[in-house]
Amino acid sequence: WGVAQCRFWVDGLLILHLPFAPGGPMGLVAWIDNQYMEMTPQGRFRHGVVMAQAQWLEIRQLQIVR
């Protein structure tokens, strides 16, 4: 997130490059979510929890360059 551009990398791959820098402070939110909500074509909502095997989120390196 530089003065004139922003670049976002994941696992060594550039996933987003913006030729401008948005104003305001930058934040980071990372999570694993096991809940869902969907709307059917008939306009009804369904929601629930996805039961899954063990899950984890591993962040090996986080670098913020100012």
Side-chain angles (χ1 to χ4, degrees), residues 1-5 12 19 21-23 25 30 34 38 40 43 46 56 58-59 61-62 64:
W1 193 298
V3 174
Q5 65 180 342
N34 67 339
E38 64 183 8
T40 67
R46 296 191 298 207
W56 69 91
E58 180 177 334
I59 300 175
Q61 178 182 357
L62 176 62
I64 299 173

Side-chain angles (χ1 to χ4, degrees), residues 38-66:
E38 64 183 8
M39 187 175 80
T40 67
Q42 295 77 27
R44 294 193 173 166
F45 289 95
R46 296 191 298 207
H47 61 89
V49 175
V50 176
M51 303 307 282
Q53 302 293 326
Q55 299 179 24
W56 69 91
L57 173 64
E58 180 177 334
I59 300 175
R60 292 184 187 172
Q61 178 182 357
L62 176 62
Q63 181 180 14
I64 299 173
V65 180
R66 297 179 74 175

